[in-house]
Amino acid sequence: MSITGSIANALSGLNATSRRAEIVSSNIANANTEGYGVRQLDVSAATVAGGGSGVRIDGVTRLIDNGIIQDRRLADASLGDSTTRASFYARIEHAIGTPEAPGSLTGRIANLEASLISAASRPDSEPRLQDVLNEARGITTHLKTASDEVQTLRREADQAIASDVKRLNQGLQQVREINISIAATQARGLDGAALQDQQQRIIDSISSIVPIRQVPRDNGTVALFTTGGTILVDGKAAEIEFTPTGIITPDMTVSGLLSGLTINGNPVDTSSSNSSMRGGSLIANFEVRDELAIETQSQLDAVARNLVERFQSPTTDPTLGPLDAGLFTDTGVAFDPLNEEGLSARLEINALTDPQNGGEIRRLRDGLGAIIPGNVGNATQLQRLATALQDPQTVVSGGFSPTARGMTTLVSDLLSSYGTARQAAEADVAYGNVQYETFKTLELQAGVDTDREMQELLLVEQAYAANARVLQTADELIQMLIGL
């Protein structure tokens, strides 16, 4: 080989070594950077006229394990789904109140029963009758507060959907724009690894909203789909639309006054069982707004109805007419079975018993329809009220089983169902966390290995020294020839 050829080979080697050192340094510097893919310099032997001509740089390869990344993103979506449901169940359980919590619904029912028994032992005592009234009013307040919490959860879910849609649209548009940049960069023969890092971070940022599958396309670009087959990005970014609602009432549904979801103008099924986008926080929030919260409201209304009907019966209070309201009323009037929706939020104490509203507290003892005061020592009506509270009765709405039960048992069953659902959802959250962290650890293990990179740096130094020695030797030979 000629001296000129040797110099050319050595210079190409130095150039490759310099680029290799740059890549190793970048790998080490970004060992803890989210979304960073390990770089590897691709080189091959250059040939000219069939002979060796140094080293040719073929490009830079970004080394990632797409399988692990896909699994980690799906785990992130699953975690977003289970976390949303667990939060809902925990707040409903808190609104109803666990038995040991002060002011729980079961505790208020027990207190009302105790106050009725106490008043029956001294029917002439107005303070004891006042205790009955206060405990009854406490139940109506509690049910109204629980109903308000359900609608608050629906409103928050509606706002969360709007936020998820906004983030998703922004992320999908950014992925589309980066696709364009990556394709243009590769067309010019430049390194697009940094753009691919940014692309991965953007996709990761929306992976908890919907379960995403990434599919490679030409020129380093990607397409995104949900696991149910909905196209999110493929050339163009999907346009997802949703209109949030400021105020939500129990009668509002997605088929009525609440907004659904559209993709490119086409309606999307948002049900938790059939949606092609289910599995992340977006559809989980729809589930809270349109399924779980509506079911909860229905059960609270069923409890309120059962309570009203126990005291609205002429059997409980013989002084009542067939159309008269009992101790518990629907906004002051008798309950109409055709108007159950939202009853828990409208529940009120009958004004006939409330001195603050022009009523007489003695009606708790004498009967709501008693025109004149009765015998102050007669506890029969108070005993009927206490018996009505705990007599086994069938709950005719709310999806409860047909088993007859007392009021305390009914509320306990309601609370138990939400406690069980919360525990199941929290178990899903715990499993999702473990799954996510496992895939995240595997992803990091497949990332930058600083020990290997340091070894690579030593090889770079050796290669640099070898090429430099070739140039030095060539220089010495040239000096010898000039000296001749």
Side-chain angles (χ1 to χ4, degrees), residues 238-398:
E239 185 176 353
I240 304 170
E241 294 181 319
F242 173 81
T243 304
T245 304
I247 299 176
I248 297 181
T249 55
D251 60 302
M252 297 173 68
T253 64
V254 70
S255 59
L257 300 174
L258 296 179
S259 172
L261 196 69
T262 63
I263 295 183
N264 299 326
N266 299 311
V268 176
D269 186 345
T270 57
S271 64
S272 60
S273 57
N274 298 319
S275 178
S276 62
M277 301 179 72
R278 68 184 183 275
S281 63
L282 178 61
I283 298 303
N285 279 309
F286 270 108
E287 182 182 7
V288 167
R289 191 194 71 172
D290 301 332
E291 298 175 35
L292 299 180
I294 288 178
E295 179 184 354
T296 301
Q297 183 66 55
S298 174
Q299 291 181 323
L300 289 174
D301 292 341
V303 169
R305 173 178 179 172
N306 188 264
L307 181 65
V308 169
E309 291 180 337
R310 287 173 182 271
F311 292 89
Q312 192 169 287
S313 168
T315 303
T316 303
D317 188 347
T319 67
L320 294 177
L323 300 179
D324 290 338
L327 177 60
F328 296 95
T329 72
D330 182 353
T331 323
V333 299
F335 167 66
D336 180 357
L338 298 179
N339 188 29
E340 180 178 333
E341 188 175 62
L343 175 62
S344 55
R346 305 192 303 269
L347 208 61
E348 291 182 0
I349 296 299
N350 196 318
L352 291 174
T353 66
D354 189 357
Q356 295 180 359
N357 291 310
E360 298 177 83
I361 201 169
R362 57 94 185 170
R363 292 181 186 272
L364 290 172
R365 177 187 64 234
D366 300 335
L368 295 179
I371 299 176
I372 60 174
N375 181 0
V376 296
N378 188 353
T380 302
Q381 180 56 33
L382 291 169
Q383 291 168 347
R384 288 195 191 103
L385 295 177
T387 299
L389 191 63
Q390 293 305 341
D391 265 355
Q393 293 186 14
T394 301
V395 186
V396 298
S397 58

Side-chain angles (χ1 to χ4, degrees), residues 193-204:
L195 290 171
Q196 291 175 320
D197 288 344
Q198 185 180 3
Q199 182 185 70
Q200 179 176 322
R201 286 193 291 270
I202 292 171
I203 298 173
D204 288 348

